[in-house]
Structures are given as C-alpha cells and as structure tokens.
C-alpha cells in the first residue's frame, strides 16, 4: 500500500483533505491524524474489520483496548449505557481536550474495540483537524497512538511515516502536536474515580472537579509488581532502541552522576545521549545533550519528551541518561512515560 502524506493547517483547514480522510475511514481504511496529544491511527470504531487493521499495523496486543474519539456529545449516547454525574462534570470541565473517560459500554461497540471488556474508553479531542475528520466520517473513530507498539508515541507526521509507511492509506500532517503526551485515562465505572493513565489533564485538575480521585497503584509504584487496571499499561512502552537510565535526587548529585557515567562511557567509545533541562544544559561535559525544556514549565518537557526519545534513535546512541522531574502536576505523566521508556531503570541518589 502506498501511504500518502498531506499537509493541513489547523487554522485554515483544507476541506478536500478532510473529505479524503473521512472517505478512507468510511471505507474501512486507516488514516493517521494529529490530535492535541499525539498522532492517532484512526479507523471506523464501529467496524471490527477496520479496527483489526489497527492492531495489525501497530503490532498491538489484542487485549489492549482502543479509545473511541467523538466530535460532539450527541455521539456519546449510543456508545454508553449511562452518563453519570461525575462523567458529566468531567465532560463539562475537560472536553474537548486530553481526557479519556471509561464508561460502561453499549452493545453497538464491537468487542475488538474494548478487547472484550464491558467498558469503553471515549474522548473528544480539541484539535480541529481531528474534530473535522470525525465529524465528516459520521462515525466514532478508534485511534490509538500511531506508532509501532512499544515505540515512543508520534508527535509529528514524520514519526508516523517512519513507523507505519505502507501500512495505512493517509497521514494528515498537521505539524507537531501541542501537549506531546497521551490523554489522561480516568475510570468512572467504579465507586471512586481512578486515574488509569496520567496525561494532559492532571490529578490536581481532576481532584478539583471530582473531589476524591485515586491513582492506579501501577502508575506511581514502579518497584513492586502491581498489575495495572488499564490493559495497555502493562506492556513495554515508549521505548527507545538503546538502554535508558533515569536519575532522581538533588540537582547537583544528578548532574554529577550523569557526568561521571557519560565521561566513562564516552572514553570507552560509546555514544551517550543526555536528556537534561534548560537549567542544567551547560553543566554536562560529554555526550549528545538535549534539553527537554524548562523545569519552570513542565508542559514544555511533556511537549518534547517523545520527540527527543526519537532523536536518540535517529542518532543511534548506545545509552541514554536522563534527569527526572517531580511526580506532581504534569510531572506525574512525564515520569510515567520516562520510567516505562527506561524499563523501570531509575537510580535514586
Ligand atoms: P493508546 O490509545 O494506545 O495511547 O492507549 C489507550 C489506553 O487506554 C491504553 O492504556 C488502554 O489500555 C486504555 N484503555 C482503553 N480502553 C480501556 C478500557 N475499557 N478500560 C481500561 N483501559 C482502557
Ligand atoms: Mg499508545
């Protein structure tokens, strides 16, 4: 299959391209499009044959359910059994935006989307290109991140092309995505609202709206073997090709430790990649040094994280050494992705 790439400006959307994209979706094909979080790999979410192509293209495990994307609240009713008060509050506060809500599903949602669960994950993105494609397709669009399973999620059309060229019909290139990390997933089907995956909407944001919110233990406890409630969280994820190590502790100790390893590895002929912050950019003495952004602005770190992990692959580094951030606000989502990318290798100093 030849994969077409067409550029679209979010502020001046070319209707012809939206039509082409939605024709492909209606005909059971795959289209990648930008959302405000990462690029999605979309298919008609009510057509099992179409959604099975997503699993095939990504090499995604069959038991990892998909998120359905809608463009208006009217589209929600037929997909869920009820809309609880908490769901209503979340939708009013955070939709359109980077919050995925788990509802009890209706019968029209195929098993292939929910991986056989009795619940379904639904989100209304805020990216205008995504909204227009969904609206024009007149179907909920199942769209996981448009990467090969296990790789960092795509924050630019080039990333999608690199992973999936030949496996989908069209990539709608809307430039780099804003948030750069996937949506927050919150389960509202249990007694207490529970965050299954941290993301663009923070725990603090959700607590203000809902009161009591829990965080699934697998997100913050990396040392014990806890089975996550969200199937997708148990798999290796976001991983660059090389070994990655994270260092946590007092600023100077972290910089010193990374320098020590970087210098030693470089002397042994290894190519070292360092992921630091604007505040420490001039402190490193060896290796290929990338700033993820400023500690004063963690949104910038989220925005750049996957992009830099992909740069590390492009540069063929042998080892990645990374600073860390605190586990609060956006830091929770950043650390969740980083620790998974590193396969849990975090050194406390
Ligand atoms: P992705 O779209 O690839 O970024 O991943 C979607 C995430 O949502 C995965 O972690 C899934 O396991 C999770 N998810 C989707 N549907 C459900 C569901 N019904 N219950 C719990 N988690 C879900
Ligand atoms: Mg994903």
């Amino acid at each position: 299959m030849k994969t077409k790439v067409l550029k679209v400006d979010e502020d001046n959307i070319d209707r012809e391209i939206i039509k082409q994209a939605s024709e492909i979706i209606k005909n059971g094909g795959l289209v990648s499009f930008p959302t405000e979080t990462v690029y999605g790999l979309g298919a008609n979410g009510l057509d099992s044959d179409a959604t099975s192509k997503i699993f095939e293209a990504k090499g995604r495990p069959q038991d990892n359910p998909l998120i359905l994307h809608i463009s208006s609240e009217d589209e929600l009713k037929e997909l869920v059994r009820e809309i609880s008060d908490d769901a209503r509050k979340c939708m009013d506060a955070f939709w359109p935006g980077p919050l995925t809500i788990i509802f009890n599903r209706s019968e029209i949602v195929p098993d292939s989307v929910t991986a056989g669960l009795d619940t379904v994950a639904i989100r209304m993105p805020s990216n205008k290109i995504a909204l227009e494609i969904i609206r024009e397709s007149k179907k909920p669009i199942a769209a996981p991140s448009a990467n090969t399973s296990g790789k960092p999620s795509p924050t630019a059309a080039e990333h999608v092309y690199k992973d999936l060229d030949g496996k989908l019909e069209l990539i709608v290139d809307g430039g780099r995505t804003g948030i750069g990390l996937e949506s927050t997933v919150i389960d509202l089907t249990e007694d207490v609202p529970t965050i299954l995956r941290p993301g663009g909407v923070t725990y603090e944001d959700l607590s203000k709206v809902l009161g009591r919110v829990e965080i699934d233990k697998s997100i913050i406890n990396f040392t014990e073997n806890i089975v996550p409630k969200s199937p997708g969280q148990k798999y290796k994820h976001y991983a660059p090709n090389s070994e990655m190590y994270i260092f946590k502790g007092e600023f100077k100790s972290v910089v010193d430790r990374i320098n020590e390893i970087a210098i030693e590895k470089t002397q042994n002929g290894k190519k070292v990649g360092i992921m630091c912050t604007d505040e420490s950019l001039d402190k490193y003495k060896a290796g290929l040094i990338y700033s993820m952004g400023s500690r004063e602005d963690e949104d910038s770190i989220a925005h750049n994280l996957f992009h830099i992990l992909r740069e590390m692959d492009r540069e063929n580094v042998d080892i990645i050494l990374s600073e860390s951030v605190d586990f609060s606000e956006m830091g929770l989502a950043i650390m969740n992705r980083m620790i998974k990318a590193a396969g849990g290798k975090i050194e406390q100093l």
Side-chain angles (χ1 to χ4, degrees), residues 60 64-67 102 117 119-121 144-145 182 196-197 230-232:
R60 184 177 177 101
N64 190 3
L66 305 174
I67 297 173
I102 309 287
L117 298 173
T119 54
V120 60
S145 49
E182 304 85 342
L196 303 185
R197 175 175 76 182
S230 186

Side-chain angles (χ1 to χ4, degrees), residues 191-202:
D191 290 343
V192 181
T194 306
I195 295 175
L196 303 185
R197 175 175 76 182
V201 174
T202 65

Side-chain angles (χ1 to χ4, degrees), residues 73-123:
E73 283 183 18
D74 291 344
E75 298 158 39
L76 180 64
K77 292 185 203 96
E78 64 166 4
L79 304 173
V80 303
R81 291 210 288 279
E82 80 265 300
I83 300 171
S84 65
D85 291 347
D86 280 349
R88 169 56 49 206
K89 284 184 202 160
C90 284
M91 286 154 60
D92 288 347
F94 305 113
W95 278 9
L99 182 72
T100 297
I101 302 175
I102 309 287
F103 294 90
N104 287 312
R105 69 180 241 195
S106 73
E107 314 81 77
I108 70 159
V109 181
D111 277 346
S112 55
V113 167
T114 66
L117 298 173
D118 197 33
T119 54
V120 60
I122 302 183
R123 168 165 116 83

Side-chain angles (χ1 to χ4, degrees), residues 44-55 109-113:
N44 177 353
L46 299 182
D47 173 352
S48 295
D49 290 338
T51 55
S52 69
K53 291 180 191 163
I54 293 178
F55 288 90
V109 181
D111 277 346
S112 55
V113 167

